[in-house]
Amino acid sequence: MMFSRRDLYRLLGPLIVEQILAVLVGMVDVLMVAYAGEEAVSGVALVDSISVLVIQLLAALATGGAVVCSQYIGRKQPGQACRAAGQLVLITAAVSLVFTAVALAGNKRLLQLVFGGAETEVMDNAATYFWLTALSYPFLALYNSGAALFRSMGNSRVSMMASMVMNGVNIAGNALCIYGLHMGVEGVAIPTLVSRIIAAALMMSLVRHRDNLIRITGLSQLRPEPDMIRRILAVGIPSGLENGMFQFGKLALQSLVSTLGTAAIAGFAVASNLVTLQYLAGNALGLGLITIVGQCVGAGELEQAKSYTRKLIAVNYGILLAVCAAMILGRGAVVGIYGLSAEASVMAEELIFTHSLAMAVWPPAFALPNTLRAGMDARFTMAVSVFSMWVFRIGFAYFFVKVCGMGVMGIWYGMFIDWIFRGILFYWRFRGFSERAHHV
């Protein structure tokens, strides 16, 4: 076998810790900004819907680079992997600068276009938060690219340590700015910017180390190489379109939520924030699958790729059983920490309970497609995801909310239908993986 049990622990353990840190910091951000009131919580929630879109697009490009690098490592061609690494950094840096420019130029106009139904005070908080977080996109892109390269080498410990530094700075900054200086949404946004600058500098320094199998040694690696860029984008563009359409769909749903009142926005925001705990194991295992399957495909070991996929999906289910049970039992106590109004708290608790039950269908819908992407089948995952998002998740959400009057719960019922459809098609596609996967 290409990966021993120890290899899997060394790769997946830090990835899970890193995902936990990312989720906890997101929860702490919402918890701390709640000190400034529900309008501040709602403003941050609206902007986070846009920021997640940008983050997902950058992550898709990093995934493209990770797949290509992993396959070159599997084929024992480290020189080609280093070429791909330089092109990945070039692509993500350029794209992130475009995102920042658009966000800074559009700012409140973009927010009003998407969330025109939000209250004035909520919109003012959102505009401030959006401007400051947009400045961090290029630094986040560099951090993500470096993390993807280390994961390709099977060394996720480096990205975990960098994440610990970044998140530690973020939390300490939040505490100082919000509780010490009594700032509003700025007290969450400024530490986010500073922490991402530090993380990017650290990651770009580490990726230059001469002992790395994949490394960036100088600016010469950042000269555009069309052939390598095409290989990265063969995965990155479909994944980016998939993630982009997915997040655009979520923005449409967030816009729908914004019409239901401040209590609905705040309750939905807190529930959405808390249930990210249920995703973290699957997200971490999915990142691990990119490396594991990518190297197996590069080495021509397609049956091993399928075997590892089945094992990690089973692990995902085991972790989900424990996490979802704990959240169902403790949802009241956890929601109570946020200090929401009674109406918003009830909404949040109901959403968490329903979401916990529905997670039974999540792994095939979101962890499994990483295996397909690592086998250069990203176009299929894109087509299924985009179709399912807009037809099922959005279509049913608007039907349940506008026609059936179900409120915010109707939005999640549409989401669960989307999950079921994805999972069925991705499992069907996975069964024929050995016949479709191919080398770089």
Side-chain angles (χ1 to χ4, degrees):
M1 299 294 282
M2 291 186 63
F3 292 86
S4 65
R5 180 171 294 183
R6 183 181 179 186
D7 292 333
L8 294 177
Y9 284 144
R10 289 177 60 189
L11 173 65
L12 299 173
L15 286 176
I16 292 175
V17 172
E18 187 177 346
Q19 290 295 312
I20 291 173
L21 287 172
V23 168
L24 289 179
V25 168
M27 293 170 62
V28 168
D29 277 354
V30 175
L31 181 60
M32 287 184 170
V33 81
Y35 182 77
E38 283 193 6
E39 290 79 10
V41 173
S42 300
V44 170
L46 296 184
V47 173
D48 280 347
S49 299
I50 296 176
S51 292
V52 169
L53 168 61
V54 173
I55 291 169
Q56 291 294 327
L57 290 173
L58 295 175
L61 294 175
T63 296
V67 167
V68 173
C69 289
S70 295
Q71 292 193 357
Y72 277 131
I73 290 174
R75 296 177 68 180
K76 303 189 184 303
Q77 295 179 337
Q80 293 291 85
C82 290
R83 284 181 58 209
Q87 298 307 293
L88 173 61
V89 171
L90 173 66
I91 295 167
T92 54
V95 171
S96 65
L97 288 172
V98 173
F99 289 156
T100 295
V102 171
L104 294 179
N107 196 261
K108 200 166 187 177
R109 291 188 296 274
L110 285 174
L111 295 173
Q112 289 172 338
L113 178 64
V114 180
F115 308 115
E119 298 171 3
T120 301
E121 192 170 351
V122 172
M123 188 63 71
D124 290 341
N125 279 286
T128 300
Y129 186 69
F130 190 29
W131 195 90
L132 288 167
T133 53
L135 294 173
S136 73
Y137 294 158
F139 304 103
L140 183 62
L142 293 176
Y143 166 78
N144 281 341
S145 296
L149 295 176
F150 278 105
R151 287 194 295 269
S152 297
M153 292 182 273
N155 185 358
S156 56
R157 186 173 181 274
V158 169
S159 61
M160 178 191 72
M161 297 303 293
S163 177
M164 292 178 69
V165 171
M166 177 172 66
N167 293 322
V169 171
N170 197 354
I171 292 174
N174 286 345
L176 172 64
C177 292
I178 293 175
Y179 299 125
L181 302 178
H182 303 290
M183 299 170 69
V185 292
E186 302 95 329
V188 177
I190 293 173
T192 296
L193 171 60
V194 172
S195 67
R196 288 175 177 175
I197 292 173
I198 292 172
L202 178 60
M203 192 61 76
M204 287 299 101
S205 174
L206 292 172
V207 83
R208 291 171 53 86
H209 199 280
R210 63 183 180 182
D211 291 339
N212 294 332
L213 184 61
I214 301 175
R215 59 189 176 276
I216 297 175
T217 56
L219 294 177
S220 61
Q221 283 178 260
L222 304 183
R223 294 196 193 100
E225 297 186 33
D227 62 325
M228 192 63 73
I229 290 174
R230 282 193 295 271
R231 290 174 179 173
I232 293 172
L233 295 183
V235 177
I237 287 180
S239 297
L241 289 173
E242 176 184 338
N243 291 345
M245 289 298 101
F246 182 76
Q247 293 304 324
F248 273 125
K250 292 183 72 173
L251 281 175
L253 296 179
Q254 188 67 58
S255 181
L256 179 59
V257 173
S258 70
T259 67
L260 300 175
T262 300
I265 296 174
F268 189 80
V270 168
S272 297
N273 189 253
L274 287 171
V275 298
T276 53
L277 288 170
Q278 299 173 358
Y279 302 144
L280 64 88
N283 288 337
L285 296 173
L287 290 173
L289 281 172
I290 293 292
T291 298
I292 294 166
V293 175
Q295 290 194 24
C296 288
V297 170
E301 298 288 347
L302 301 183
E303 288 304 316
Q304 284 196 46
K306 294 179 70 173
S307 176
Y308 285 124
T309 300
R310 294 189 187 98
K311 289 178 181 178
L312 295 189
I313 294 294
V315 170
N316 192 182
Y317 271 112
I319 295 173
L320 275 179
L321 181 62
V323 172
C324 292
M327 290 197 71
I328 288 174
L329 295 174
R331 64 189 185 280
V334 176
V335 170
I337 297 173
Y338 287 82
L340 300 176
S341 65
E343 183 183 1
S345 295
V346 169
M347 289 184 187
E349 289 183 38
E350 290 177 350
L351 289 167
I352 290 170
F353 178 81
T354 307
H355 192 281
S356 298
L357 297 179
M359 284 299 291
V361 298
W362 189 89
F366 290 93
L368 184 58
N370 283 292
T371 290
L372 303 180
R373 295 184 189 106
M376 304 301 284
D377 201 11
R379 291 183 181 179
F380 178 80
T381 65
M382 175 194 70
V384 171
S385 298
V386 171
F387 174 82
S388 185
M389 178 73 186
W390 288 94
V391 173
F392 294 108
R393 183 179 299 205
I394 295 177
F396 276 104
Y398 272 84
F399 173 75
F400 290 145
V401 172
K402 295 295 187 180
V403 178
C404 301
M406 291 183 176
V408 289
M409 188 63 73
I411 293 172
W412 277 13
Y413 287 151
M415 179 174 72
F416 303 151
I417 294 172
D418 167 42
W419 291 2
I420 293 169
F421 179 79
R422 290 169 186 257
I424 292 171
L425 285 192
F426 289 147
Y427 177 72
W428 167 78
R429 190 73 166 184
F430 172 71
R431 293 181 64 183
F433 179 79
S434 300
E435 289 74 40
R436 297 187 183 92
H438 56 275
H439 295 202
V440 175

